[in-house]
Amino acid sequence: NLHIPVTTASNDYPKRKMPLKRQLKESEIPIFDNAYSRQRGDYWQLHMWLEREGKYARKSLRTRSQSTAVERAKQLYMEISAHQLSGKTYFSLTVKQGVTQYLAAREQDVELGLITRDRYITLRSQLKHWQEFIGRETRLKELETGDCEDYFQYRQQVSGSTVKNLTVQHEQSTINQCVRWLHKRGETEIDGFEFRRLPRVDRGNEAVRRATLTGEEYEKLCTAMRVYCIGKNGGLDTAERLQRQLVEHYVLVAATSGLRVGEQLQLRWSDVEIETHRDKQGKPIPLARIHVRAETSKVRRSRIFLCRSAEYFEAWRKTVGHQSSDALIFSIDGKSAITKRALLYHFKRMVESAGIRDLATRDIVPYSLRHYMITQRIMSGV
C-alpha cells in the first residue's frame, strides 16, 4: 500500500482534506512514502502528494524505460522535497496569468515613457498568438525549452502561410523576453525557448522595391488624392471631406519628411516651425523645422530636422482652423488624432483610385511613404 501520512485534526487547527489511502495498481511503482511512478501512454510519470499545497504533483519522467523512470523519479522526488522545505511552491501560475502580469509591467513602462503605447499594443498582440499556441491554462513551471519548436509552423498554418518570417522572428523575441521576465521572478523553470531556425528567404531588394512607390506612381497618387477629396459631383458632407483632406495632407507630409506613422500622428503644432531659407540662386524656400519628442519616438530619442513640408502644414492649419499650439496636427478637433484604421482605409482607397499596378502583390501602406522619401533623397545624391 502507498503510505500517505495523515495528521489528525485537533480543536486548534482547521480540518484539512487529505487524499484517501489507495491500493497501487500493478503498473504503479511506489517511490518513498508519498509518491509513486506510473506509465501514461508510452512514458512514465511521477505522482507526488504535496501536503503544503494539498495537491498531487505530476511530472513527466520522459522515458519509456521502467528502471530509468524509477531512478529519475527518486531524483525528482528529492528536488521537489527540497523546494518544499525551502518554502517554494510547486504549482505555478498559468500562462494567461503570467502574461497578464508581464503586460501590466509593460503598461507601467508606457506611463514612465520607456516604451510607446503602440509598442505595448504590439507586445500584447504577439503574446496573444503565443498563448493560443502553448495553451492559456498551461502551467508556467511545466514549460520546457523545446515546447515552442513548432511555433513557426503553427503561425504559418493559422495565417494561411501569409505571415512573414520577420514577423514570426519578432514574436519569438517578445515571447522569450516575457519568459525571461517571469523566470527572474521564479515563475518558470526556464529562461527562454529554443525556437527552430526560421527558413531563410532571399528576395534581394525586390521586397523593399515593391513595398514603396516610384516617382511616377507618387505623382498619380497626388492627382488621385485631389479628386478623392472633392468626391463625386462634390457631394461630400463637411466631416467626410475634412477627414479625406486630413489624410491627403498626412500623405504629403509623410512623403517629404519620412516620419514614422506613430511619430507623425503625435505631432503638435508646437513641434513645427516654418522658416524661410534661400537656395544657391537666392530664391526663398519655405521649410518646416520638425521636432520629434523623445516620448513619441520609437527609439525614445528626440531629433530635429528640416524638410520641404512647410506649405502642407500651413494649408492644413488654414483648412482645419486649429488655434492652440498644443493641438494635435493630424486631427479634426486637435484633441484626438485620426485612427490608424481610418488612415489606412482612406490611404488604400486613394492608392486604388490612382490606378497603381500590382497592388494585390505589393505591401503599399502609409509606412511605404517613409521608404519613398528615403529613396528620393538617395536618388538626389544625399
Side-chain angles (χ1 to χ4, degrees):
N1 290 337
L2 175 63
H3 174 66
I4 300 174
V6 179
T7 304
T8 304
S10 68
N11 295 331
D12 298 328
Y13 296 95
K15 292 183 179 181
R16 259 181 96 182
K17 288 185 179 180
M18 300 295 290
L20 299 175
K21 292 182 179 180
R22 58 187 292 277
Q23 290 281 340
L24 289 182
K25 299 177 181 178
E26 291 184 4
S27 60
E28 297 173 341
I29 303 172
I31 306 294
F32 301 113
D33 287 340
N34 56 338
Y36 63 91
S37 179
R38 61 170 291 187
Q39 202 167 16
R40 183 178 180 184
D42 293 334
Y43 291 88
W44 288 83
Q45 284 186 338
L46 171 69
H47 289 230
M48 177 178 175
W49 174 254
L50 306 178
E51 186 174 350
R52 288 180 64 247
E53 300 182 57
K55 296 180 182 179
Y56 267 105
R58 296 174 176 85
K59 184 76 172 178
S60 173
L61 298 170
R62 292 186 171 272
T63 182
R64 294 183 176 91
S65 168
Q66 179 176 318
S67 59
T68 303
V70 170
E71 292 303 314
R72 289 184 180 178
K74 290 178 179 178
Q75 181 179 355
L76 184 57
Y77 177 93
M78 300 303 292
E79 291 176 2
I80 295 175
S81 296
H83 286 157
Q84 292 281 297
L85 289 172
S86 66
K88 294 182 180 179
T89 59
Y90 176 83
F91 289 99
S92 66
L93 301 175
T94 63
V95 167
K96 180 180 178 180
Q97 291 170 329
V99 169
T100 299
Q101 289 188 9
Y102 176 74
L103 289 176
R106 295 288 73 78
E107 193 156 21
Q108 289 181 347
D109 289 344
V110 175
E111 296 172 0
L112 294 172
L114 300 176
I115 62 173
T116 63
R117 171 60 58 176
D118 286 347
R119 177 59 182 159
Y120 170 80
I121 293 171
T122 300
L123 294 175
R124 187 175 61 190
S125 175
Q126 291 170 332
L127 292 173
K128 180 181 178 182
H129 292 308
W130 176 56
Q131 290 181 81
E132 291 168 351
F133 169 77
I134 203 72
R136 288 179 171 82
E137 299 306 315
T138 301
R139 296 288 174 179
L140 290 174
K141 288 185 178 176
E142 294 176 359
L143 298 176
E144 299 189 8
T145 56
D147 286 347
C148 289
E149 284 185 349
D150 297 328
Y151 183 74
F152 174 72
Q153 287 79 359
Y154 163 79
R155 291 289 285 115
Q156 284 282 306
Q157 180 182 357
V158 298
S159 70
S161 298
T162 59
V163 66
K164 297 178 182 178
N165 288 22
L166 186 60
T167 300
V168 177
Q169 185 178 334
H170 289 164
E171 289 176 9
Q172 292 176 171
S173 177
T174 296
I175 291 166
N176 273 345
Q177 287 174 11
C178 176
V179 173
R180 277 194 295 273
W181 186 88
L182 291 167
H183 179 70
K184 288 180 179 178
R185 286 152 183 79
E187 298 295 346
T188 65
E189 302 292 341
I190 61 173
D191 62 356
F193 293 107
E194 295 176 358
F195 292 99
R196 250 184 218 143
R197 183 175 295 179
L198 298 181
R200 188 171 181 178
V201 180
D202 185 8
R203 297 178 181 171
N205 294 325
E206 182 66 12
V208 176
R209 186 189 72 78
R210 294 178 65 81
T212 189
L213 300 168
T214 65
E216 181 182 353
E217 288 173 336
Y218 179 70
E219 292 299 325
K220 288 182 180 179
L221 176 60
C222 290
T223 301
M225 287 193 300
R226 288 193 289 271
V227 176
Y228 182 75
C229 289
I230 297 172
K232 291 183 179 180
N233 303 319
L236 296 175
D237 60 37
T238 303
E240 177 67 14
R241 184 177 66 255
L242 268 178
Q243 190 170 70
R244 293 188 181 194
Q245 289 177 322
L246 187 159
V247 176
E248 177 190 23
H249 285 85
Y250 175 95
V251 170
L252 294 171
V253 171
T256 51
S257 68
L259 284 163
R260 296 182 178 92
V261 176
E263 295 171 344
Q264 189 167 333
L265 290 179
Q266 295 180 81
L267 278 181
R268 299 183 182 275
W269 289 108
S270 57
D271 297 324
V272 179
E273 296 178 24
I274 306 302
E275 303 176 358
T276 300
H277 292 249
R278 295 188 178 275
D279 62 14
K280 294 180 180 178
Q281 289 74 36
K283 180 182 177 181
I285 301 175
L287 298 178
R289 183 179 294 275
I290 299 177
H291 175 213
V292 178
R293 287 166 279 131
E295 61 268 25
T296 66
S297 168
K298 176 184 175 182
V299 294
R300 320 310 286 167
R301 289 196 299 269
S302 64
R303 69 183 189 278
I304 298 175
F305 63 96
L306 287 167
C307 68
R308 295 172 177 264
S309 297
E311 64 271 27
Y312 305 136
F313 284 112
E314 291 177 325
W316 172 239
R317 188 164 197 173
K318 184 177 180 181
T319 299
V320 77
H322 289 166
Q323 299 298 321
S324 172
S325 60
D326 290 330
L328 289 166
I329 296 175
F330 296 99
S331 165
I332 301 299
D333 59 6
K335 299 176 182 178
S336 302
I338 186 173
T339 64
K340 290 183 179 179
R341 183 176 181 179
L343 173 63
L344 182 60
Y345 171 78
H346 289 294
F347 178 75
K348 285 202 168 186
R349 293 188 66 183
M350 290 172 173
V351 171
E352 289 168 358
S353 64
I356 296 173
R357 299 174 58 186
D358 302 326
L359 285 179
T361 57
R362 295 169 66 182
D363 191 19
I364 304 296
V365 293
Y367 194 87
S368 302
L369 298 167
R370 178 171 165 84
H371 293 307
Y372 171 79
M373 174 269 181
I374 294 170
T375 303
Q376 295 303 308
R377 298 290 78 75
I378 292 172
M379 291 173 65
S380 299
V382 177

